[in-house]
Amino acid sequence: MVQLNNGITLFFSLLVEAMPFLLLGVIFSSVLLLFVDEQKLLALMPRNVLLAALAGGLIGFLFPVCECGNIPVARRLLMKGAPTAVAIGFLLAAPTVNPIVFWATWIAFRDQPEIVFLRVGFTLVVAMAVALIFSAQADMRPFLQDNLARMMGDPAAPPAATGLQGGSPSPAEDEAISPLLRSGTFLMQSPGQVLQLDAPPAQVLAQVTGAPPPLRLRFRMMVDNMVLETRELGAVLILGSAIAAFVQVAIPREVILSLGQGPVTSILAMMALAWVVSICSTVDAFFALSFASVFTSGSLLAFLVFGPMIDLKNISLLLTVFKGRAIIYLFLLAAQLTFLLTLVMNLYVG
Amino acid sequence: MTSSIRSRRRPLPSPRRVSLPWQAIIDGLMLLLWAAMLLRFTVTGQIYLLLHPDYMWLSHMAMVLTFGMGMGRMWQVWQVVRLQQRQGGPRSQEHIALLPRRVSTGLLLAVAVFGLIYTPRPFTSETALQRGITEVLSQTRSRPQRFVLSGASEDRTIVDWIRTLNVYPEPEAYAGQAVNVSGFVTHMPGWPDNLFMITRFVLTCCAADAYPVGLPVELPPGTPRPAPDTWLEVTGRMTTQTLDNKRQLVIGEAALTEIPQPRTPYEY
């Protein structure tokens, strides 16, 4: 009974803490959707894959949201046709590489500035590496949830991919997935172009280029979109928080803590803890600080770098974008890279 | 521009007498309930059981945002009803990837209603034992660069004592100092009957990272040991004892006063 009460209290604690960031993310995402011309933003993205990945990571400075908030934005970027490198770079780096998180980490680790800067550095390295690996896949859609992939429309050769591969997908591939073969209500536009009427309003809006609707309508659509995303992502956040709360109650913390003081085990333990606790990147620095006296610097960094990328709570959010297989790849790549980097830090620096 | 309707997933809704945008109404209700839940946590002070006070403005902001969105939704509903149009919210089932719309709406509604009924409880001695009460002399978690101690030793809270000990861990240095702390009772396994731990949870950000700290208390002969989870104010003098094969600071000559559970049971 006590355990149940603790679990429920933890559950509400996580929810109340994460909900504001989720709402901020949803608001940023909706504003971005209707008031920022992403085509222009994306057109500014460098063509080189490496630079595109870096740029994707740095977009976080425009959208200071944590990992519960950046997934709607990443989803939006993908829908608007962002190159894979930009989207993955943003997804992995944005929760950490943004002013609010930098500030929070600085407050927490003022006396260990190397942690603050290495956190940003390692995150960018891992995000760029994973983004490069995913860019090798010309068409992302097999990795994405079906309805998102459908919304992405034709995979015109992603500008970033051409830099690396120098070739565009054959026209036959494009033809094979003509929008006319999909179900739904369509309006014929200029030859070869259709407008899907029963897509979400914002999506329809995005397809109608050249005629921005009046401000009042855009505002209404923004509210619609905010409510819609709050409903979807909020429900998923509830499930994730429930799982995180009950796992935390069920596994004694000492089991995780006793795993390690050593250079290897401490990193593994902190990564496991980051995964279980699912704490928001904006406040996780303070949480990590509470382990500062017990754990190696490398393992604290592992917590701070890996936690915001993938944890128990946001796996359910990631499932709104990616299929399970892609999430497993993301998870494994991010975990291995974080582990290697922080192990080097433990063995040679710390 | 030519327009041709190729296919239709389902027939258009047949005109009905009453055409209320139920979807939008439920959305608005859900958001307003969330705002109400957050308002309730704030007004009843239960938010102190969930969050560190530094982050409470975030939940206040969430309350304002959900309220605003809910009201915006309801205003749209009012517009629609007034104009007798049938265009509530975006009807976009396809948008939803993981959960059907009804499931997600239901979950959010259920949690909001549950949050309006449920009273969060502060953590108890059982959790303190499970999480491992921070040993006075070993692992202290938070290491503030500076913390101000008021001159008198009896003004220190349990956390102040732990932090002081972390800076200068020699127990003998504190022997004889007056102590006045409050917390709840935890019975440590293996301790004799005249000893218990006076305990507090410390939050760094939210209940998810609450960790317990405590000081051992030695009861005068003949005093019965208080039940676990009783909230007490303990006054006494610091002595040293060997507990668990380690020399430790112990509150001796303890006088116990039972107190009600404080409004903010955690320390920060």
Side-chain angles (χ1 to χ4, degrees), chain A residues 4 29 50 59 68 105 135 205 209-210 268 270 282 291 306 338:
Chain A
L4 182 66
S29 144
L50 200 65
I59 298 181
C68 358
T105 317
S135 310
L205 184 71
T209 46
L268 292 178
M270 279 313 258
T282 12
F291 295 96
F306 182 63
T338 311

Side-chain angles (χ1 to χ4, degrees), chain A residues 20-89:
Chain A
F21 293 101
L22 184 83
L23 288 172
L24 276 183
V26 163
I27 289 171
F28 273 118
S29 144
S30 301
V31 171
L32 180 79
L33 171 72
L34 288 152
F35 293 94
V36 174
D37 191 346
E38 279 155 330
Q39 257 77 32
K40 279 187 194 150
L41 181 66
L42 291 176
L44 290 177
M45 290 293 137
R47 308 219 136 226
N48 180 289
V49 196
L50 200 65
L51 290 179
L54 180 63
L58 294 177
I59 298 181
F61 265 94
L62 293 178
F63 307 104
V65 290
C66 74
E67 74 264 28
C68 358
N70 80 322
I71 294 173
V73 180
R75 192 161 81 154
R76 185 83 50 231
L77 284 174
L78 274 172
M79 270 192 232
K80 294 230 167 177
T84 311
V86 172
I88 300 275

